[in-house]
Amino acid sequence: MTDPALQAEVLQLREQLREWNYRYYVLDDPSVPDAEYDRCLRRLQEIESQCPELVTTDSPTQRVGAQPLDQFRQVAHEVPMLSLDNAFDAAELVSFDRRLRDRLKDAETPIEYCCEPKLDGIAVSLLYRDGALERGATRGDGTTGEDITHNVRTIPSIPLHLRGEDYPQVLEVRGEIYMPRAGFELVNQQAREEGSKPFVNPRNAAAGSLRQLDARITARRRLEMCCYSVGLVEGGQLPGEHSAVLDCLHRWGLRINSESRVVKGIEACEEYYNYLAGRRDALPYDIDGIVYKVNRLDLQRKLGFVSRAPRWAIARKFPAQEEMTRLLGVEFQVGRTGAITPVARLEPVFVGGVTVSNATLHNSDEIARLGVMIGDTVIVRRAGDVIPQVVSVVKDRRPADAVPVIFPTECPVCGSVTERAADEAVIRCMGGLVCAAQQKAAIKHFVSRRAMDIDGLGDKLVAQLVDQGLVENVAGLYRLEKEQLLGLERMGEKSVNKLLAAIEKSKKTTLPRFIFALGIREVGEATALNLARHFGSWEKLVAASEAQLLQVDDVGPVVADHLRQFFDSEAGMSVAQSLRDQGVSWPDIEVTEAGELPLAGQTWVVTGKLEVMGRNEAKAALQALGARVAGSVSAKTHCVVAGPGAGSKLDKARELAIEVIDEAAFVALLESHGVRG
């Protein structure tokens, strides 16, 4: 017989682990360190290995471990999983609302709608019996799907046992399994490193992950699930409103979308569409539209269904983020570090809300992986502010006269030889400062807002300065004279005076900006901030050994090597010294231990769109001041920086009475601590 004390401990450990999982994966509010969670999980595993009779299918230890399947078996849905009709513009949405009010014979009373982001994932059904997860299935054709129980059990946001006690005896939960963007990038990075084929988009990645016969592969794919409705319900009563049903699911331990809203009237639905369209690029996952559902369930039943779709719901689509077009040619651009990037010239196509005629092909390895040829029909993806990219080739549409893409063996700008380092995918021009393209790119980086912030030096003016031999490197900017600038195109006296004033103003800068502006390979803003904070002065940084550089947060062997190469380079250090000789200066920074940093121990959240700096830059600045930057608001949050378009995180901060500041106050705070915004 099993020791009663061990039985009691197992129950207590399972309940504790479920609670922690719920707070971490559903509420985004972790309550204990990972080490404490791991200790409890190991203890549970230890007891279950000693007493196999205590193992249950809903134990937190059973998320992964089943033997790979030979094939998926079919599952019949007791309640069909229907599709949705689509609305592609505001007029179609208004017509949808009018049809509903006509059918309800109430033209005056605005209908209350539940508005939910339409996640770009895979629809699934989860069947819980007496609170325990019994089965997971794909939507399939709506009446029959595939049994993917062994895979859904690996997804942390899917509880193996529901919370509480008031759930129905039988509860079928429906939702979308998706792959967040961060997980998608990681999966594709691993695929490229392993030499396997990357996924085209997060939806394909989620679908491919769910259809693995080996659940251990699925477990590594960082999938999440968000619930949006219920199907079969037996032995229990649910509320009379769709939004209240979602609240119940959330209370029982399932994730729902925090961006969902209940609104009255179709005009409010359109307002929500505009709101979410503005938030789309800031979300950590892909959405392709909004689903509007009549909120009252009695009205849903009254409205009924037509064909394979409910009358009471509709999906309003966002502009497509992927489209097909033709590859007309490939040009090769040279960046400030000599990296040669192939750029696809496309037959213009409307995608992601804009007309796209250029897209990146990344590098020669990507061209080989895609197997792309000039003349091919290609699929182009554009998501928000991300540079459009060619993601695949429609090979059955390849024309007979398609031409291979040949990477240049000489720099297309200066004619210097190109080389590829053994550990890199990038081919580089070896011309260095002899190459006009590298000169121009280095100057553009140096004068950019996040570097030396010299207003008025746009791309065309930089090109003129280099092409006419007025500037060879960034130090030459500080030797420019008024007469030289007046001789350039579109440069009148007012423009010249303004530019010279901006150049003079830029001489007073900060050490992190100066380090970043030099354009040392792999040294971004966050690394520059960490270097400045660690060493405090330029002299100490330059004198640092590779071993000393490796002691800095965010500096690994590659970055340390690039830093030492720059500091040991006569050309690089000559430019840096010339800048200082011409008056570029900054105050040294008082070196502070991590625990003494001004925001040490504080948790901050950045939400909405920032105008002065990007969210990544804001995060780097906060981290340099010792703060932890979290992705969600909780009672432990110290402050929230909210820009335009801030949504649920701002609402939660107000609900919890957490301090909220706008970007202007945030920039002022950074500057008060010596970090320029």
Side-chain angles (χ1 to χ4, degrees):
M1 291 182 61
T2 305
D3 184 346
L6 285 180
Q7 288 182 312
E9 187 179 359
V10 163
L11 293 175
Q12 188 273 328
L13 286 170
R14 286 177 186 163
E15 186 59 34
Q16 183 64 82
L17 289 165
R18 287 171 188 151
E19 174 66 21
W20 288 342
N21 274 331
Y22 174 69
R23 296 192 68 83
Y24 189 95
Y25 293 107
V26 178
L27 299 184
D28 289 323
D29 183 21
S31 54
V32 293
D34 290 349
E36 178 63 17
Y37 180 94
D38 292 341
R39 277 192 289 271
C40 282
L41 184 61
R42 281 197 299 272
R43 175 57 180 159
L44 180 58
Q45 289 169 332
E46 180 184 317
I47 297 174
E48 289 182 348
S49 66
Q50 293 173 1
C51 309
E53 67 275 12
L54 294 180
V55 178
T56 59
T57 57
D58 62 349
S59 172
T61 64
Q62 300 303 299
R63 286 216 174 261
V64 188
Q67 290 297 311
L69 301 179
D70 295 325
Q71 62 182 18
F72 294 104
R73 69 181 183 88
Q74 299 296 297
V75 171
H77 297 298
E78 292 85 346
V79 178
M81 295 183 71
L82 304 177
S83 56
L84 292 172
D85 287 334
N86 292 321
F88 292 94
D89 56 37
E92 291 184 9
L93 196 61
V94 169
S95 297
F96 163 74
D97 179 70
R98 186 185 304 115
R99 290 195 302 272
L100 297 193
R101 288 188 286 116
D102 288 347
R103 183 167 287 273
L104 293 171
K105 296 180 171 57
D106 186 352
E108 303 300 323
T109 307
I111 295 174
E112 188 174 75
Y113 291 100
C114 187
C115 314
E116 303 168 30
K118 187 175 182 296
L119 292 164
D120 197 9
I122 308 301
V124 295
S125 159
L126 305 177
L127 187 66
Y128 287 89
R129 193 177 302 276
D130 296 323
L133 178 63
E134 183 176 283
R135 188 193 70 204
T138 61
R139 177 185 177 276
D141 62 4
T143 58
T144 304
E146 290 181 319
D147 188 329
I148 53 169
T149 307
H150 71 309
N151 284 337
V152 300
R153 291 175 63 83
T154 71
I155 300 173
S157 53
I158 295 178
L160 300 181
H161 199 286
L162 298 177
R163 290 166 52 85
E165 298 177 349
D166 60 337
Y167 42 76
Q169 182 182 0
V170 177
L171 175 67
E172 183 197 357
V173 179
R174 291 174 176 182
E176 201 87 359
I177 289 179
Y178 61 97
M179 183 175 286
R181 291 171 183 163
F184 173 69
E185 294 301 328
L186 185 61
V187 165
N188 271 357
Q189 180 185 335
Q190 291 170 343
R192 285 189 285 267
E193 290 172 354
E194 295 167 0
S196 54
K197 183 179 179 181
F199 290 104
V200 173
N201 54 47
R203 186 184 189 282
N204 286 1
S209 301
L210 277 181
R211 298 205 79 259
Q212 294 292 328
L213 293 171
D214 187 345
R216 291 169 297 183
I217 298 174
T218 308
R220 297 196 295 267
R221 293 288 175 81
R222 301 185 178 222
L223 299 175
E224 293 185 10
M225 177 174 172
C226 191
C227 302
Y228 57 65
S229 70
V230 297
L232 180 67
V233 177
E234 293 178 352
Q237 191 72 28
L238 293 178
E241 294 181 331
H242 173 74
S243 57
V245 172
L246 294 181
D247 289 339
C248 284
L249 296 178
H250 191 52
R251 181 159 48 84
W252 294 330
L254 293 147
R255 180 191 287 269
I256 61 173
N257 200 301
S258 60
E259 298 289 340
S260 298
R261 298 285 186 275
V262 175
V263 304
K264 276 195 175 182
I266 205 65
E267 294 81 6
C269 289
E270 184 64 17
E271 289 174 9
Y272 178 81
Y273 175 88
N274 293 327
Y275 157 77
L276 199 59
R279 293 258 306 137
R280 184 184 187 188
D281 299 339
L283 297 174
Y285 44 78
D286 280 0
I287 58 174
D288 56 6
I290 297 168
V291 178
Y292 300 103
K293 300 173 184 174
V294 174
N295 197 33
R296 281 174 49 185
L297 300 185
D298 61 329
L299 295 185
Q300 288 187 11
R301 288 189 288 270
K302 189 173 182 180
L303 289 163
F305 302 85
V306 55
S307 183
R308 296 173 63 82
R311 287 196 180 96
W312 42 265
I314 198 166
R316 171 82 191 274
K317 305 287 280 187
F318 285 135
Q321 293 186 300
E322 289 184 355
E323 284 292 354
M324 285 199 308
T325 187
R326 200 161 64 89
L327 177 64
L328 303 178
V330 176
E331 295 181 5
F332 296 91
Q333 296 182 346
V334 184
R336 63 181 172 85
T337 64
I340 298 177
T341 303
V343 177
R345 301 304 181 199
L346 306 168
E347 202 167 77
V349 61
F350 192 75
V351 55
V354 300
T355 298
V356 169
S357 54
N358 302 320
T360 181
L361 285 164
H362 297 293
N363 52 49
S364 58
D365 285 354
E366 182 71 356
I367 290 174
R369 183 190 70 78
L370 290 169
V372 65
M373 299 176 70
I374 296 169
D376 272 341
T377 295
V378 296
I379 295 176
V380 179
R381 179 174 174 82
R382 179 187 182 273
D385 295 329
V386 176
I387 298 170
Q389 57 183 319
V390 175
V391 294
S392 62
V393 178
V394 186
K395 291 189 177 176
D396 59 2
R397 296 195 180 190
R398 173 167 288 165
D401 59 352
V403 178
V405 178
I406 306 298
F407 224 88
T409 56
E410 295 181 349
C411 174
V413 175
C414 70
S416 298
V417 66
T418 61
E419 288 185 8
R420 174 176 175 171
D423 58 345
E424 290 187 347
V426 176
I427 294 175
R428 298 182 189 276
C429 162
M430 305 310 292
L433 292 179
V434 171
C435 180
Q438 292 183 58
Q439 293 173 12
K440 292 172 186 176
I443 293 170
K444 290 174 191 176
H445 171 77
F446 183 84
V447 305
S448 63
R449 180 166 52 85
R450 304 305 304 159
M452 298 301 284
D453 193 19
I454 303 178
D455 191 29
L457 264 172
D459 291 359
K460 291 182 178 178
L461 181 54
V462 169
Q464 286 191 74
L465 292 173
V466 174
D467 291 343
Q468 296 192 26
L470 298 178
V471 173
E472 289 186 0
N473 56 50
V474 295
L477 295 172
Y478 294 92
R479 292 190 289 267
L480 286 170
E481 297 179 356
K482 185 173 182 178
E483 292 71 23
Q484 293 175 310
L485 293 170
L486 285 171
L488 301 176
E489 290 180 22
R490 299 183 180 180
M491 290 299 288
E493 187 159 350
K494 185 176 179 181
S495 298
V496 168
N497 288 338
K498 187 176 178 181
L499 174 58
L500 289 173
I503 292 173
E504 186 65 27
K505 181 182 176 183
S506 74
K507 289 181 179 180
K508 300 299 179 186
T509 187
T510 67
L511 179 55
R513 276 179 176 264
F514 182 74
I515 297 169
F516 175 61
L518 291 173
I520 302 169
R521 280 180 62 188
E522 305 294 338
V523 178
E525 284 183 83
T527 304
L529 277 165
N530 288 334
L531 288 166
R533 288 274 174 195
H534 185 90
F535 292 102
S537 72
W538 173 250
E539 290 75 15
K540 289 181 180 177
L541 171 60
V542 171
S545 66
E546 208 162 315
Q548 290 171 321
L549 290 169
L550 286 169
Q551 294 175 11
V552 181
D553 286 344
D554 196 34
V555 173
V558 173
V559 176
D561 181 57
H562 288 317
L563 284 163
R564 278 285 13 128
Q565 282 187 41
F566 183 89
F567 299 146
D568 294 338
S569 156
E570 183 178 342
M573 291 304 292
S574 173
V575 170
Q577 187 58 49
S578 180
L579 288 167
R580 301 194 73 183
D581 291 344
Q582 292 171 87
V584 176
S585 63
W586 54 84
D588 286 345
I589 296 173
E590 184 178 348
V591 177
T592 322
E593 295 298 324
E596 299 173 356
L597 291 172
L599 304 185
Q602 297 181 12
T603 298
W604 286 60
V605 172
V606 181
T607 183
K609 185 175 183 179
L610 302 186
E611 304 294 339
V612 176
M613 63 174 67
R615 289 169 67 176
N616 287 338
E617 291 84 358
K619 180 178 178 180
L622 284 166
Q623 290 172 333
L625 295 175
R628 173 181 176 268
V629 183
S632 60
V633 177
S634 72
K636 297 177 183 177
T637 303
H638 177 81
C639 187
V640 173
V641 181
S648 59
K649 293 176 186 176
L650 177 58
D651 294 339
K652 189 167 184 180
R654 288 169 174 162
E655 178 186 326
L656 296 174
I658 290 166
E659 182 184 3
V660 177
I661 61 174
D662 62 13
E663 187 177 9
F666 177 57
V667 170
L669 172 74
L670 296 182
E671 291 181 342
S672 72
H673 290 299
V675 180
R676 232 172 104 186

